[in-house]
Amino acid sequence: MKLVSQLQLWERRALGWLAAVPGPRLLAALVFAFTVWIVVDVFFLSVTGGLAQSTYDTMVRSRLFAAAPDSRIVIVDIDESALARMAPEFGRWPWPRDTLATVLDHIESQGPAAVVWDIVFSDADRLSPGGDLAFDQSVVRSGHSHFGVVRLPGKNDKLSQLTQENLPRLWAQKGDAAQANRSTVAMIAPVLQGVAQRPLGFNNGYVDKDGVLRRYRYFETLPDGGVIQSLPMAVLHSLDPAAHARWLAWFKGTARHVDADLASEDDVLIHWRNKANVYPRVNFADLFAAADGSAPATAVPSMAGKVVVIGATAPSLHDTHPTPLSATQAGVETLATVLDNALHERIVRELPKWAGALLAVLLCAAVAWWSHHRSVSSLAPAMVGLPALLLVVSYASLHSHTVFLDLHLAAGLTLLFLAVLRLWYQLRKRHWCGDLPDSEEPLAVWAWSFESPWSDDQLQRLMGVLMTKAPAIRVLLLDPEPAGPLGLRWHPFATCWALVGASSQMARAQHDLLASQAATGVRVAAMAPVPHGVAPEHRQSVVAALALQGWAALKQPSSIPELKP
């Protein structure tokens, strides 16, 4: 029991201290605290800053419309059925590369716009060296093939022996001439010489911290000033050199040197189609059958003028990763998406981190200013409305392929700030409208009545006067919640409250207390003293009875205007 009493005492002291802090000072402290947190979090910790990833993914999936897929792009799909159909003659994957040569020669004969290989040729085929030779020769004959390499972490660059001389068509821009042949880059490079001399680009999937792929790295700047390109940029350079130059100019004007295994703000947010698997697919086994002179299981369309992306969707080949559209999206589908974006110059620009942080700070400051000049309860609609509005703006911006306004941080922190303000106000109200005051002087009850139900604005003004002029007075309310525009509480005493406290202090503060409600049509009863000798356990009942008597006197029929028809 002693422990419970001590805890109650500490609670009352804490509430008293909190209630004694002037409103403007506490609001300023809250704004300062939130500002410090926003700056530290956004620029250093990244706990709540940046993309609210799950919300963003939901928005992407629920967009009303998105850019249509480029009709030129077609995927040659190595799926499970292709693996099964090719297995009797060529075994399981990887097949001898002369099968790939057969398909490449067939596609080239039809005049494609580009052939993009989402396959890394990093090892020689020891079991079928003839297949390697056949494919390498086919690649040399091909005028449209583009190949991917795997970029290793930049910390390994010093251990590599690969330079611009080894992979000349990987560089979008050469570095310092004096260092060109001495600067090395860590890559998993093609083992076939013909492939190594074709247009190259890295095709890494740099995911966010949660393992979901949302961004793509189109270029990377090296320490010597050189710029290496991604596979989509290698294709774009062949199809539209002017667009490639614009992409490179934009990148050089905005990006920094990146050396990270995860996505960064310098990577471009991928403009996804509105659902997964939107690009047409041709089964590799059917295409091979057509190239080999056999009858395919399904008709194979012409590849003339197409951007042909060859890759695997078979789960057993493990080229899948989570994206906002699917937990198991095939890498070749993502490559087709970013290639589509590259061809159409869809550079999604994002709200800078500092701008998002500044907006969050300004909104918190605006909420504090409003609550000081009006009331915390007047912000109740904003608890839902303001964050919802910010999220709607973010959602709307996702329908553009040029900008994304990430307002999740501002929405979340504004909601949190509003919640903290409401909690502070409830604690403050609990102090001033809670237990009877501790006073050694005789207590008095002063009943008040208003023309209309009292509001939180009125109560906030009253608590401000009590804090400075009459800290030993408390407010007695029959209903602690005010009447509001969304739900008027109609009952006989909705317009009433009473002040309870030391009669001498109440008399001294009488003028200030009435002045705080001067514009509300207030009427007051005479102060009723609490009789001496009332036992503590009966004091609340006596105070309530005196307040009711005062309210009843203020509401006598004689004091109500006569209604005329």
Side-chain angles (χ1 to χ4, degrees):
M1 292 297 294
K2 290 184 177 180
L3 178 60
V4 173
S5 300
Q6 188 65 32
L7 290 175
Q8 291 175 343
L9 178 60
W10 288 346
E11 179 187 20
R12 294 185 66 180
R13 288 177 178 176
L15 282 176
W17 175 84
L18 187 63
V21 178
R25 186 179 302 175
L26 188 137
L27 291 172
L30 282 178
V31 171
F32 176 77
F34 268 73
T35 300
V36 171
W37 167 251
I38 291 170
V39 171
V40 171
D41 178 54
V42 169
F43 295 103
F44 300 100
L45 299 181
S46 299
V47 176
T48 58
L51 284 172
Q53 295 164 334
S54 59
T55 306
Y56 169 79
D57 295 347
T58 302
M59 286 182 174
V60 169
R61 292 191 297 271
S62 60
R63 283 172 301 164
L64 301 177
F65 59 85
D70 192 316
S71 60
R72 295 173 294 174
I73 298 176
V74 60
I75 294 174
V76 175
D77 186 9
I78 304 172
D79 61 3
E80 290 294 349
S81 67
L83 294 177
R85 289 167 59 187
M86 300 282 286
E89 184 175 357
F90 302 107
R92 295 291 292 177
W93 182 266
W95 305 314
R97 287 173 180 159
D98 52 358
T99 60
L100 306 182
T102 300
V103 167
L104 177 57
D105 288 339
H106 180 69
I107 294 173
E108 283 287 349
S109 69
Q110 298 180 1
V115 181
V116 187
W117 292 86
D118 189 22
I119 301 171
V120 177
F121 298 93
S122 57
D123 297 299
D125 188 345
R126 304 294 183 185
L127 299 178
S128 181
D132 274 1
L133 179 60
F135 182 67
D136 208 31
Q137 291 174 346
S138 178
V139 169
V140 172
R141 293 191 300 270
S142 171
H144 302 93
S145 287
H146 302 75
F147 294 89
V149 297
V150 178
R151 174 70 166 115
L152 298 177
K155 63 184 178 181
N156 298 313
D157 286 350
K158 295 181 180 179
L159 305 176
S160 175
Q161 296 180 355
L162 293 174
T163 66
Q164 292 180 24
E165 185 178 10
N166 303 117
L167 303 172
R169 303 187 73 176
L170 174 63
W171 265 254
Q173 174 182 289
K174 292 184 177 181
D176 181 78
Q179 302 181 25
N181 293 323
R182 298 199 305 270
S183 296
T184 57
V185 180
M187 293 279 179
I188 298 179
V191 70
L192 304 177
Q193 289 301 313
V195 173
Q197 299 306 309
R198 294 289 91 192
L200 301 176
F202 58 86
N203 189 31
N204 294 47
Y206 294 103
V207 299
D208 290 328
K209 291 180 180 179
D210 63 349
V212 178
L213 182 66
R214 299 183 179 91
R215 305 171 185 273
Y216 195 78
R217 191 168 300 172
Y218 286 98
F219 295 99
E220 181 179 335
T221 303
L222 302 176
D224 67 352
V227 178
I228 56 176
Q229 65 189 358
S230 64
L231 183 53
M233 285 295 115
V235 178
L236 183 63
H237 186 268
S238 299
L239 298 181
D240 191 347
H244 181 275
R246 289 191 293 271
W247 268 94
L248 183 58
W250 168 80
F251 171 78
K252 290 166 61 179
T254 60
R256 305 185 300 270
H257 170 63
V258 176
D259 182 12
D261 295 331
L262 297 175
S264 74
E265 61 178 349
D266 287 328
D267 300 323
V268 181
L269 201 62
I270 298 173
H271 180 72
W272 301 99
R273 307 292 80 83
N274 55 359
K275 59 182 179 179
N277 306 323
V278 296
Y279 295 95
R281 299 184 183 188
V282 175
N283 190 282
F284 184 94
D286 288 333
L287 188 58
F288 178 80
D292 200 38
S294 304
T298 57
V300 176
S302 172
M303 300 298 172
K306 299 293 186 179
V307 178
V308 183
V309 185
I310 303 175
T313 63
S316 61
L317 298 184
H318 307 294
D319 187 17
T320 60
H321 43 244
T323 72
L325 299 179
S326 172
T328 57
Q329 180 156 314
V332 68
E333 183 79 17
T334 298
L335 176 59
T337 301
V338 295
L339 178 57
D340 193 338
N341 292 340
L343 292 172
H344 294 273
E345 300 184 61
R346 297 189 184 103
I347 303 174
V348 182
R349 295 168 175 85
E350 298 180 63
L351 191 70
K353 290 198 323 184
W354 66 264
L358 178 61
L359 177 61
V361 171
L362 291 178
L363 284 174
C364 290
V367 167
W369 179 87
W370 180 273
S371 66
H372 172 63
H373 289 278
R374 293 292 301 275
S375 68
V376 175
S377 62
S378 66
L379 290 166
M383 289 285 288
V384 175
L386 183 57
L389 175 63
L390 295 174
L391 293 179
V392 167
V393 172
S394 291
Y395 174 70
S397 71
L398 273 178
H399 291 75
S400 163
H401 62 263
T402 57
V403 64
F404 171 58
L405 300 176
D406 178 17
L407 302 180
H408 294 85
L409 173 68
L413 287 176
T414 302
L415 180 61
L416 179 60
F417 190 82
L418 285 165
V420 171
L421 272 186
R422 188 166 182 81
L423 175 61
W424 165 70
Y425 182 70
Q426 292 298 328
L427 292 175
R428 191 183 184 199
K429 184 190 291 188
R430 181 179 170 186
H431 174 77
W432 293 110
C433 307
D435 297 331
L436 296 179
D438 295 326
S439 176
E440 297 181 358
E441 298 182 39
L443 297 180
V445 179
W446 192 14
W448 293 37
S449 179
F450 302 94
E451 291 182 351
S452 58
W454 61 269
S455 67
D456 255 353
D457 288 347
Q458 294 172 253
L459 184 58
Q460 185 163 291
R461 291 196 300 270
L462 178 66
M463 289 190 297
V465 176
L466 295 179
M467 183 188 306
T468 57
K469 302 292 185 178
I473 295 177
R474 297 293 180 268
V475 186
L476 176 62
L477 305 170
L478 288 185
D479 191 341
E481 294 300 322
L486 299 180
L488 183 64
R489 304 178 193 277
W490 189 91
H491 53 75
F493 299 106
T495 59
C496 300
W497 70 40
L499 302 183
V500 183
S503 54
S504 60
Q505 190 172 99
M506 205 176 299
R508 288 194 302 268
Q510 179 176 353
H511 175 76
D512 294 308
L513 294 169
L514 290 172
S516 70
Q517 311 297 321
T520 59
V522 61
R523 294 185 300 168
V524 297
M527 296 183 192
V530 177
H532 292 285
V534 176
E537 61 271 19
H538 297 143
R539 186 175 299 171
Q540 287 188 338
S541 300
V542 172
V543 167
L546 292 174
L548 287 169
Q549 290 176 10
W551 292 330
L554 292 171
K555 292 181 176 293
Q556 290 297 322
S558 60
S559 65
I560 300 177
E562 181 181 355
L563 297 178
K564 297 181 180 180

Short mmCIF file of all heavy atoms in Angstrom, two decimals, residues 18-32 365 368-369 371-373 417 421 424 428 460 464 467-468:
data_model
loop_
_atom_site.label_atom_id
_atom_site.label_comp_id
_atom_site.label_asym_id
_atom_site.label_seq_id
_atom_site.Cartn_x
_atom_site.Cartn_y
_atom_site.Cartn_z
N LEU A 18 4.32 19.00 -15.22
CA LEU A 18 3.99 19.11 -16.64
C LEU A 18 2.95 20.19 -16.86
O LEU A 18 3.04 20.97 -17.82
CB LEU A 18 3.48 17.77 -17.15
CG LEU A 18 3.25 17.66 -18.67
CD1 LEU A 18 4.56 17.83 -19.42
CD2 LEU A 18 2.63 16.31 -19.01
N ALA A 19 1.95 20.25 -16.00
CA ALA A 19 0.89 21.25 -16.15
C ALA A 19 1.41 22.65 -15.90
O ALA A 19 0.83 23.63 -16.38
CB ALA A 19 -0.26 20.94 -15.20
N ALA A 20 2.49 22.77 -15.13
CA ALA A 20 3.03 24.09 -14.81
C ALA A 20 3.90 24.66 -15.92
O ALA A 20 4.26 25.84 -15.89
CB ALA A 20 3.84 24.03 -13.51
N VAL A 21 4.29 23.84 -16.90
CA VAL A 21 5.11 24.33 -18.01
C VAL A 21 4.23 25.18 -18.92
O VAL A 21 3.20 24.71 -19.41
CB VAL A 21 5.73 23.17 -18.81
CG1 VAL A 21 6.53 23.70 -19.99
CG2 VAL A 21 6.60 22.32 -17.91
N PRO A 22 4.59 26.44 -19.17
CA PRO A 22 3.78 27.27 -20.05
C PRO A 22 3.63 26.64 -21.43
O PRO A 22 4.57 26.04 -21.96
CB PRO A 22 4.58 28.58 -20.13
CG PRO A 22 5.41 28.59 -18.88
CD PRO A 22 5.74 27.15 -18.60
N GLY A 23 2.43 26.78 -22.00
CA GLY A 23 2.16 26.17 -23.29
C GLY A 23 3.15 26.54 -24.38
O GLY A 23 3.69 25.66 -25.07
N PRO A 24 3.44 27.85 -24.61
CA PRO A 24 4.39 28.22 -25.67
C PRO A 24 5.76 27.60 -25.48
O PRO A 24 6.40 27.18 -26.45
CB PRO A 24 4.44 29.74 -25.57
CG PRO A 24 3.13 30.12 -24.95
CD PRO A 24 2.82 29.02 -24.00
N ARG A 25 6.20 27.55 -24.22
CA ARG A 25 7.53 26.98 -23.97
C ARG A 25 7.55 25.49 -24.27
O ARG A 25 8.51 24.98 -24.87
CB ARG A 25 7.92 27.22 -22.51
CG ARG A 25 9.36 26.80 -22.17
CD ARG A 25 9.66 27.09 -20.72
NE ARG A 25 9.49 28.51 -20.41
CZ ARG A 25 9.61 29.02 -19.19
NH1 ARG A 25 9.85 28.22 -18.16
NH2 ARG A 25 9.45 30.31 -18.99
N LEU A 26 6.49 24.77 -23.87
CA LEU A 26 6.46 23.34 -24.15
C LEU A 26 6.34 23.06 -25.64
O LEU A 26 6.99 22.16 -26.17
CB LEU A 26 5.30 22.70 -23.40
CG LEU A 26 5.30 21.16 -23.47
CD1 LEU A 26 4.98 20.58 -22.11
CD2 LEU A 26 4.29 20.66 -24.49
N LEU A 27 5.53 23.86 -26.35
CA LEU A 27 5.40 23.67 -27.79
C LEU A 27 6.72 23.92 -28.50
O LEU A 27 7.11 23.18 -29.41
CB LEU A 27 4.32 24.61 -28.34
CG LEU A 27 2.88 24.29 -27.93
CD1 LEU A 27 1.94 25.39 -28.38
CD2 LEU A 27 2.44 22.96 -28.51
N ALA A 28 7.44 24.95 -28.08
CA ALA A 28 8.76 25.22 -28.67
C ALA A 28 9.72 24.08 -28.41
O ALA A 28 10.51 23.69 -29.29
CB ALA A 28 9.31 26.54 -28.13
N ALA A 29 9.66 23.53 -27.20
CA ALA A 29 10.54 22.41 -26.87
C ALA A 29 10.22 21.19 -27.72
O ALA A 29 11.12 20.47 -28.19
CB ALA A 29 10.42 22.07 -25.39
N LEU A 30 8.92 20.93 -27.93
CA LEU A 30 8.53 19.80 -28.76
C LEU A 30 8.99 19.98 -30.21
O LEU A 30 9.51 19.05 -30.84
CB LEU A 30 7.01 19.62 -28.73
CG LEU A 30 6.42 18.95 -27.49
CD1 LEU A 30 4.90 18.90 -27.59
CD2 LEU A 30 6.97 17.55 -27.32
N VAL A 31 8.80 21.19 -30.75
CA VAL A 31 9.24 21.45 -32.13
C VAL A 31 10.75 21.28 -32.24
O VAL A 31 11.26 20.68 -33.20
CB VAL A 31 8.81 22.86 -32.58
CG1 VAL A 31 9.44 23.21 -33.92
CG2 VAL A 31 7.29 22.94 -32.68
N PHE A 32 11.49 21.77 -31.25
CA PHE A 32 12.96 21.63 -31.27
C PHE A 32 13.35 20.16 -31.22
O PHE A 32 14.23 19.72 -31.96
CB PHE A 32 13.55 22.40 -30.10
CG PHE A 32 15.05 22.24 -29.99
CD1 PHE A 32 15.90 22.94 -30.83
CD2 PHE A 32 15.61 21.37 -29.04
CE1 PHE A 32 17.28 22.78 -30.75
CE2 PHE A 32 16.97 21.22 -28.95
CZ PHE A 32 17.82 21.93 -29.80
N ALA A 365 5.90 22.65 -36.86
CA ALA A 365 5.84 24.03 -36.36
C ALA A 365 4.45 24.63 -36.61
O ALA A 365 3.91 25.35 -35.74
CB ALA A 365 6.91 24.88 -37.04
N ALA A 368 2.05 23.24 -34.07
CA ALA A 368 2.27 23.85 -32.77
C ALA A 368 1.68 25.26 -32.73
O ALA A 368 1.04 25.65 -31.73
CB ALA A 368 3.77 23.89 -32.46
N TRP A 369 1.89 26.03 -33.80
CA TRP A 369 1.36 27.40 -33.85
C TRP A 369 -0.17 27.37 -33.77
O TRP A 369 -0.77 28.15 -33.06
CB TRP A 369 1.81 28.06 -35.15
CG TRP A 369 1.31 29.47 -35.33
CD1 TRP A 369 1.89 30.61 -34.88
CD2 TRP A 369 0.10 29.86 -35.99
NE1 TRP A 369 1.13 31.70 -35.22
CE2 TRP A 369 0.01 31.26 -35.90
CE3 TRP A 369 -0.92 29.16 -36.64
CZ2 TRP A 369 -1.04 31.97 -36.44
CZ3 TRP A 369 -1.98 29.87 -37.18
CH2 TRP A 369 -2.03 31.27 -37.08
N SER A 371 -2.15 25.02 -32.52
CA SER A 371 -2.64 24.57 -31.21
C SER A 371 -2.48 25.67 -30.16
O SER A 371 -3.27 25.74 -29.22
CB SER A 371 -1.89 23.31 -30.78
OG SER A 371 -0.52 23.58 -30.56
N HIS A 372 -1.47 26.52 -30.32
CA HIS A 372 -1.29 27.62 -29.36
C HIS A 372 -2.36 28.68 -29.53
O HIS A 372 -2.90 29.19 -28.54
CB HIS A 372 0.10 28.24 -29.53
CG HIS A 372 0.31 29.49 -28.73
ND1 HIS A 372 0.27 29.49 -27.34
CD2 HIS A 372 0.54 30.77 -29.11
CE1 HIS A 372 0.48 30.73 -26.90
NE2 HIS A 372 0.64 31.52 -27.96
N HIS A 373 -2.68 29.01 -30.78
CA HIS A 373 -3.63 30.09 -31.02
C HIS A 373 -5.08 29.61 -31.00
O HIS A 373 -5.98 30.43 -30.81
CB HIS A 373 -3.32 30.77 -32.36
CG HIS A 373 -2.07 31.59 -32.33
ND1 HIS A 373 -2.03 32.87 -31.84
CD2 HIS A 373 -0.80 31.28 -32.70
CE1 HIS A 373 -0.78 33.35 -31.93
NE2 HIS A 373 -0.02 32.40 -32.45
N PHE A 417 3.60 13.89 -34.07
CA PHE A 417 3.60 15.17 -33.35
C PHE A 417 2.20 15.49 -32.83
O PHE A 417 2.04 15.95 -31.69
CB PHE A 417 4.10 16.28 -34.28
CG PHE A 417 4.37 17.58 -33.60
CD1 PHE A 417 5.57 17.80 -32.95
CD2 PHE A 417 3.41 18.60 -33.59
CE1 PHE A 417 5.82 19.01 -32.30
CE2 PHE A 417 3.65 19.80 -32.96
CZ PHE A 417 4.87 20.01 -32.31
N LEU A 421 1.11 15.93 -28.91
CA LEU A 421 0.38 17.12 -28.45
C LEU A 421 -0.91 16.73 -27.75
O LEU A 421 -1.26 17.28 -26.69
CB LEU A 421 0.06 18.03 -29.64
CG LEU A 421 1.09 19.07 -30.04
CD1 LEU A 421 0.53 19.95 -31.14
CD2 LEU A 421 1.52 19.93 -28.86
N TRP A 424 -0.13 15.31 -24.35
CA TRP A 424 0.22 16.38 -23.41
C TRP A 424 -1.03 17.11 -22.93
O TRP A 424 -1.18 17.39 -21.74
CB TRP A 424 1.19 17.36 -24.08
CG TRP A 424 1.32 18.66 -23.33
CD1 TRP A 424 1.92 18.86 -22.12
CD2 TRP A 424 0.82 19.93 -23.73
NE1 TRP A 424 1.82 20.18 -21.74
CE2 TRP A 424 1.15 20.87 -22.72
CE3 TRP A 424 0.13 20.38 -24.85
CZ2 TRP A 424 0.81 22.20 -22.81
CZ3 TRP A 424 -0.20 21.72 -24.94
CH2 TRP A 424 0.13 22.62 -23.92
N ARG A 428 -2.48 17.40 -19.18
CA ARG A 428 -2.70 18.72 -18.60
C ARG A 428 -4.14 18.85 -18.09
O ARG A 428 -4.39 19.34 -16.99
CB ARG A 428 -2.41 19.77 -19.66
CG ARG A 428 -2.34 21.20 -19.13
CD ARG A 428 -2.11 22.14 -20.29
NE ARG A 428 -1.93 23.51 -19.83
CZ ARG A 428 -2.07 24.58 -20.60
NH1 ARG A 428 -2.38 24.41 -21.89
NH2 ARG A 428 -1.89 25.78 -20.12
N GLN A 460 -9.00 25.66 -22.53
CA GLN A 460 -7.56 25.94 -22.63
C GLN A 460 -7.24 27.33 -22.11
O GLN A 460 -6.23 27.54 -21.43
CB GLN A 460 -7.12 25.79 -24.10
CG GLN A 460 -5.62 25.94 -24.29
CD GLN A 460 -5.16 25.39 -25.62
OE1 GLN A 460 -5.18 24.20 -25.84
NE2 GLN A 460 -4.73 26.28 -26.50
N GLY A 464 -4.89 28.26 -18.79
CA GLY A 464 -3.79 29.20 -18.85
C GLY A 464 -3.83 30.20 -17.71
O GLY A 464 -2.79 30.55 -17.12
N MET A 467 -2.94 28.41 -14.38
CA MET A 467 -1.51 28.14 -14.26
C MET A 467 -0.75 29.34 -13.71
O MET A 467 0.14 29.20 -12.87
CB MET A 467 -0.95 27.75 -15.64
CG MET A 467 0.52 27.38 -15.64
SD MET A 467 1.16 27.18 -17.32
CE MET A 467 0.01 25.99 -17.98
N THR A 468 -1.14 30.54 -14.15
CA THR A 468 -0.38 31.73 -13.77
C THR A 468 -0.97 32.48 -12.57
O THR A 468 -0.23 33.09 -11.81
CB THR A 468 -0.31 32.71 -14.96
OG1 THR A 468 -1.65 33.02 -15.39
CG2 THR A 468 0.45 32.08 -16.12
#
